[in-house]
Amino acid sequence: MSRSFDQTLSRDHTHAVKFDARKAVFGKQDVIPVWVADMDFAAPEAVTQALVERAQHPVYGYTLFPDSLYQAMIDWFADRHGWQIERDWILMAPGVVPTLHAACMAYAEPGQGVIVQPPVYPPFFSSVQHSDRTVIENPLRRDDSTGRYHMDLEHLEQCAARPDARVLILCSPHNPVGRIWSEAELREVLAIARRHGLVVVSDEIHCDLTYDDAPRHRVLATLAEPGDALVTTVAPSKSFNLPGLGLSALVIADPERRRAMKEIFQTLHMPQCNPFSVAGFEAGYRAGGPWLDELLGYLKANRDYVCEQVEQRLPGVSVSAPEATYLLWLDCRSLGLTDAELKRFFVQDAGVGMNPGITFGDQGSGFMRLNIGCPRSVLTEVLDRIADALAARG
């Protein structure tokens, strides 16, 4: 590979949440951090160059979103996903999580229902709860013989039929279970939403992080019919490892729903444009393709290595290879530990900091989420530590 993802870069004392918050999160500093969803790889060189060039102009004032930024995004999704986006459909935002909160406020009244599909990224719950809306759970179904998850579409129909249901927040590809939803599943989601008047907010932040041995990811909007109530949220943050730059985009084809979102944005005074976010966003979508292609090859090798090692060396732990994302969903239920005991085992006995599955909803009880977006040497140390700790348990 022309770029070495094997290089270990120290992130200590860079104010990185993943590293410098270890003491606060895990109660000790000496854990290997493989939790929060950013990667330990240098961003594409084109992104760094763009940031340096912008920094060389010594005035960092209020900034516009240039036409070139929109065009870079439009071109990327047309080339990579066959999705034809019109310029007027795009709203810029300071991250996907704030847009989930805004969507709850724009499309549901206080007390009304928002459907989520756990186990799922924790802000899906908090965005509903903190906006004083009601969480309606449509849990995913897990095939324990394969470890593969599916949508419970029959139950989703029941949830959508509730008189208080207004919004469905879809995670596609799914974090943490790593599914790429099939075209049939996505079409049925749209049909259910159509029948019951739901607004679907499709979080597709991981859409570029898919593996070549998995089904093709379909952007939900490419399957939609005219008039479908659909909001798509995307960002270059996962694709090019830029989450700290804090810039995302919403794509809303329907003018009325776009207007409703704009009104919430104005109420919250968002977004304010950061000149460095603009530079990084545009550079990633304009020139990050070759870097991303190499990254995906490295992540796939990491994925396969960890899955093989878990099967061979970690009794009581199992994993199903994800179709997308750099996040592995470890099934630790056979260890017979409570969620508190499970976290304590990995932190105190193994010295490994992961995300407890229970934080993704009750359906995550007994699971842990492992971030493989790091050099292979780090994963080897993680696996060695867990294997040793399991052996010491007897």
Side-chain angles (χ1 to χ4, degrees):
M1 302 176 81
S2 60
R3 301 170 180 85
S4 176
F5 294 99
D6 281 325
Q7 181 184 6
T8 301
L9 299 172
S10 174
R11 299 181 62 192
D12 289 317
H13 313 301
T14 63
H15 312 297
V17 170
K18 188 175 181 181
F19 284 76
D20 291 340
R22 281 177 287 181
K23 177 70 172 177
V25 172
F26 301 108
K28 56 187 293 188
Q29 187 70 19
D30 58 337
V31 295
I32 301 177
V34 279
W35 60 300
V36 68
D38 65 12
M39 296 183 284
D40 299 335
F41 305 130
E45 185 178 349
V47 170
T48 301
Q49 280 187 327
L51 295 175
V52 169
E53 288 173 7
R54 180 61 188 87
Q56 287 174 340
H57 191 296
V59 179
Y60 312 120
Y62 296 115
T63 303
L64 298 171
F65 295 113
D67 290 340
S68 57
L69 175 145
Y70 292 98
Q71 194 60 51
M73 174 182 159
I74 289 168
D75 291 346
W76 177 270
F77 281 97
D79 294 343
R80 289 268 171 163
H81 298 280
W83 183 20
Q84 306 300 321
I85 301 171
E86 294 187 15
R87 163 69 180 79
D88 290 345
W89 298 353
I90 303 172
L91 299 179
M92 304 309 297
V96 168
V97 173
T99 65
L100 299 180
H101 287 254
C104 291
M105 297 171 67
Y107 306 122
E109 295 297 325
Q112 290 183 329
V114 178
I115 302 169
V116 299
Q117 297 177 309
V120 73
Y121 183 49
F124 278 41
F125 296 100
S126 61
S127 64
V128 181
Q129 295 160 343
H130 292 167
S131 60
D132 198 28
R133 275 64 178 170
T134 300
V135 173
I136 302 174
E137 291 196 10
N138 168 228
L140 302 179
R141 300 178 63 180
R142 187 178 190 272
D143 182 340
D144 282 335
S145 65
T146 64
R148 185 177 173 84
Y149 284 80
H150 303 271
M151 290 193 209
D152 187 340
L153 293 168
E154 182 178 347
H155 184 253
L156 176 59
E157 182 98 47
Q158 296 171 9
C159 294
R162 284 179 44 160
D164 63 328
R166 293 292 183 272
V167 178
L168 164 66
I169 306 180
L170 178 72
C171 195
S172 180
H174 194 278
N175 169 17
V177 308
R179 267 299 310 277
I180 294 176
W181 303 119
S182 69
E183 182 174 329
E185 287 171 306
L186 294 174
R187 288 190 182 279
E188 185 58 23
V189 166
L190 287 170
I192 290 170
R194 209 175 289 132
R195 285 194 289 272
H196 298 284
L198 289 181
V199 177
V200 180
V201 179
S202 187
D203 173 4
E204 309 208 17
I205 194 171
H206 291 99
C207 67
D208 293 318
L209 296 171
T210 63
Y211 297 108
D212 61 11
D213 58 357
R216 178 191 173 198
H217 170 73
R218 292 297 302 268
V219 172
L220 186 63
T222 64
L223 304 174
E225 296 180 3
D228 279 345
L230 178 60
V231 174
T232 307
T233 181
V234 296
S237 54
K238 304 301 182 188
S239 307
F240 309 112
N241 202 30
L242 313 175
L245 293 183
L247 185 59
S248 66
L250 286 171
V251 182
I252 311 173
D254 177 72
E256 183 61 24
R257 292 185 179 85
R258 195 164 60 246
R259 181 196 60 77
M261 185 66 77
K262 281 183 177 180
E263 288 182 356
I264 297 298
F265 278 14
Q266 290 167 358
T267 300
L268 299 175
H269 300 283
M270 58 185 276
Q272 180 170 306
C273 184
N274 181 315
F276 295 98
S277 300
V278 167
F281 186 109
E282 180 174 344
Y285 280 138
R286 189 169 301 285
W291 181 92
L292 176 64
D293 292 337
E294 293 184 10
L295 169 73
L296 289 172
Y298 192 86
L299 290 176
K300 182 183 176 184
N302 274 359
R303 179 200 68 175
D304 294 346
Y305 169 71
V306 172
C307 289
E308 177 186 78
Q309 291 291 304
V310 168
E311 181 179 359
Q312 293 177 359
R313 301 179 59 203
L314 305 187
V317 181
S318 62
V319 64
S320 178
E323 297 168 335
T325 82
Y326 48 80
L327 306 166
L328 268 59
W329 190 232
L330 304 182
D331 183 354
C332 307
R333 291 175 296 173
S334 293
L335 295 177
L337 301 174
T338 67
D339 289 300
E341 291 169 341
L342 194 60
K343 180 178 179 180
R344 187 161 53 248
F345 166 75
F346 282 109
V347 172
Q348 301 298 332
D349 298 351
V352 174
M354 292 187 284
N355 292 95
I358 191 64
T359 63
F360 296 83
D362 291 342
Q363 298 77 9
S365 180
F367 289 78
M368 300 292 288
R369 193 188 73 172
L370 168 65
N371 181 343
I372 61 168
C374 56
R376 175 70 60 83
S377 59
V378 174
L379 293 175
T380 297
E381 178 64 19
V382 165
L383 293 162
D384 286 347
R385 289 190 180 194
I386 297 173
D388 289 345
L390 288 171
R393 277 185 89 225

